[in-house]
Amino acid sequence: MSAPQTVLYAEDLVVGDRIGLGTHTVGEDELVDFARSWDPQWFHTDRDAAESGPFGGLIASGIHTLAVAQRLTVEAAYARWAVIAGRQLRQVRFLGPVLPGTVLTGTYVIDDVTIDDRGRGLVTATVTLVDDEGRAVLDGTVESFVRCRG
């Protein structure tokens, strides 16, 4: 059994801290299943049609890529933080295609922590995902409320 991890509160978070995200391989079945449920466009769901499309094959939905970023961020940071809720996504950009078999990883950089009078901090951060060749495929600014210690 592993030792319990210390919970981090808004006061513990440091502007400029860079948190490495884990990795996730986007498999073709996952890519197609996600798209069939949430973004059923032909270049996400139909391999044969996608082969003659602009990317030469299937690509992941941008929303799928964003969901991977969220999962990796939760595993690397939010699971240890006293998170209340997300507040906002801003300036999310889909910078390149994510093909089946792509290994995604990235960073979460704390840009600002603003403590309010309600016992919480607003954490603003930049999230970037890169593919297995180091090319950025997604970036954006996220805001989350995190509890203060007191």
Side-chain angles (χ1 to χ4, degrees):
M1 191 167 186
S2 62
Q5 293 186 339
T6 303
V7 173
L8 298 177
Y9 293 89
E11 302 93 328
D12 302 319
L13 304 177
V14 177
V15 172
D17 274 2
R18 181 181 202 86
I19 300 165
L21 304 179
T23 62
H24 179 77
T25 302
V26 179
E28 183 173 330
D29 289 344
E30 172 191 323
L31 184 156
V32 171
D33 288 346
F34 183 96
R36 283 188 178 140
S37 293
W38 304 108
D39 191 358
Q41 298 182 75
W42 61 272
F43 44 87
H44 300 318
T45 61
D46 185 333
R47 184 187 322 158
D48 293 334
E51 285 176 1
S52 63
F55 300 102
L58 292 170
I59 61 168
S61 166
I63 301 303
H64 183 180
T65 307
L66 183 60
V68 170
Q70 176 67 11
R71 171 71 182 256
L72 293 177
T73 300
V74 167
E75 291 172 350
Y78 296 163
R80 299 181 312 125
W81 295 5
V83 172
I84 298 168
R87 178 176 182 237
Q88 180 172 219
L89 296 171
R90 290 187 279 128
Q91 302 170 349
V92 174
R93 299 183 309 162
F94 305 113
L95 303 170
V98 174
L99 308 173
T102 298
V103 178
L104 297 173
T105 190
T107 55
Y108 179 98
V109 179
I110 299 174
D111 299 322
D112 188 53
V113 179
T114 302
I115 306 297
D116 67 20
D117 60 358
R118 295 175 62 191
R120 64 187 186 175
L122 178 62
V123 179
T124 304
T126 300
V127 175
T128 304
L129 278 189
V130 298
D131 65 16
D132 32 6
E133 295 186 22
R135 293 178 298 224
V137 297
L138 177 142
D139 68 12
T141 302
V142 296
E143 294 180 353
S144 302
F145 286 113
V146 177
R147 285 184 186 83
C148 289
R149 205 174 248 99

